[in-house]
Amino acid sequence: MLFGRTPVLPTPDQALRGRPEPGFTVPARHTVLGNPLLGPYPEGLEVADFALGCFWGAERKFWQTDGVWTTLVGYQGGYTRNPSYEEVCSGMTGHTEVVRVVFDPKAVSYETLLKLFWESHDPTQGFRQGNDVGTQYRSAIYTHSPAQAAAAESSRDAYQRVLTGSGYRAITTEILPADDRPFYPAEAYHQQYLDKNPGGYCGIGGTGVSCPVGVASADD
């Protein structure tokens, strides 16, 4: 919801109600990795949810990572059930643009994905990422276990220390349990968008500051 040029999250009562079922169909398989987009996923795989600005470029970052089994983009963190892209862009759903990453923890650690997350955007910008402005571009991590939550919070604290030393402000990334914030897949044309449109827009860009995840803890 926008008052002037300042994005503001709606309250649950203000948010659009949405619909009980999705208004569109999600493709069966990933256009690059070839694996199914939707679960249930094979035993032994884990799920991670990251919001770091426009999900087109963000998704590509993760599907190019070894050990990632599939990725899909969607909406999370808000109140509207089964929202459309237009509804999310209105600012009246409370959702942010998210990449769901399904990965093999034996091949790539959650900490490695966290490092990629932090280094691929500026987590201090609040309701924007670069030139993209709106509540749907806010930084977020939605966790699927206590271990993920602990790792996410530890990595945030470690990265805050190095960002502060480089002149950046406080991290605004929200870290919340995924169980409390349902994930809704986005429309078919958003899935693997930059594979279908190689010259398409990608607003993803980091701070240039290395994240010490896996190198040092926040207490070092």
Side-chain angles (χ1 to χ4, degrees):
M1 182 161 51
L2 297 179
F3 298 110
R5 296 181 61 86
T6 303
V8 178
L9 279 171
T11 66
D13 289 340
Q14 293 171 330
L16 300 173
R17 295 185 63 182
R19 52 201 57 80
E21 299 293 335
F24 49 84
T25 301
V26 177
R29 293 187 176 272
H30 198 285
T31 62
V32 178
L33 301 176
N35 294 320
L37 292 188
L38 300 177
Y41 302 113
E43 185 177 354
L45 299 184
E46 296 183 11
V47 176
D49 295 329
F50 301 108
L52 53 157
C54 177
F55 52 21
W56 293 345
E59 185 186 21
R60 183 171 62 183
K61 289 279 187 179
F62 288 102
W63 87 51
Q64 292 176 335
T65 301
D66 291 341
V68 170
W69 191 79
T70 199
T71 61
L72 67 156
V73 297
Y75 314 114
Q76 198 168 4
Y79 310 108
T80 302
R81 294 184 302 166
N82 296 295
S84 68
Y85 180 66
E86 290 75 16
E87 290 170 338
V88 172
C89 289
S90 77
M92 292 302 297
T93 70
H95 292 294
T96 187
E97 295 189 7
V98 169
V99 181
R100 171 154 287 184
V101 182
V102 182
F103 65 101
D104 181 352
K106 295 179 180 178
V108 61
S109 68
Y110 184 64
E111 287 75 13
T112 297
L113 298 179
L114 284 168
K115 181 177 176 67
L116 177 61
F117 165 78
W118 293 119
E119 293 181 354
S120 296
H121 74 304
D122 182 345
T124 71
Q125 293 190 329
F127 294 145
R128 62 184 287 262
Q129 198 58 219
N131 293 325
D132 294 327
V133 179
T135 57
Q136 73 271 30
Y137 298 117
R138 72 186 185 276
S139 176
I141 303 171
Y142 301 107
T143 60
H144 290 261
S145 68
Q148 282 193 4
E153 291 168 1
S154 177
S155 68
R156 175 199 59 201
D157 296 344
Y159 200 36
Q160 182 66 74
R161 291 184 59 170
V162 295
L163 284 177
T164 299
S166 298
Y168 284 86
R169 296 171 294 179
I171 288 173
T172 60
T173 305
E174 63 183 29
I175 301 175
L176 296 169
D179 286 348
D180 297 339
R181 303 288 177 162
F183 174 91
Y184 298 101
E187 292 84 345
Y189 70 95
H190 289 301
Q191 306 299 337
Q192 298 86 65
Y193 180 87
L194 291 183
D195 177 55
K196 304 168 188 173
N197 303 275
Y201 170 77
C202 175
I204 295 299
T207 62
V209 178
S210 179
C211 177
V213 174
V215 178
S217 72
D219 297 328
D220 286 347

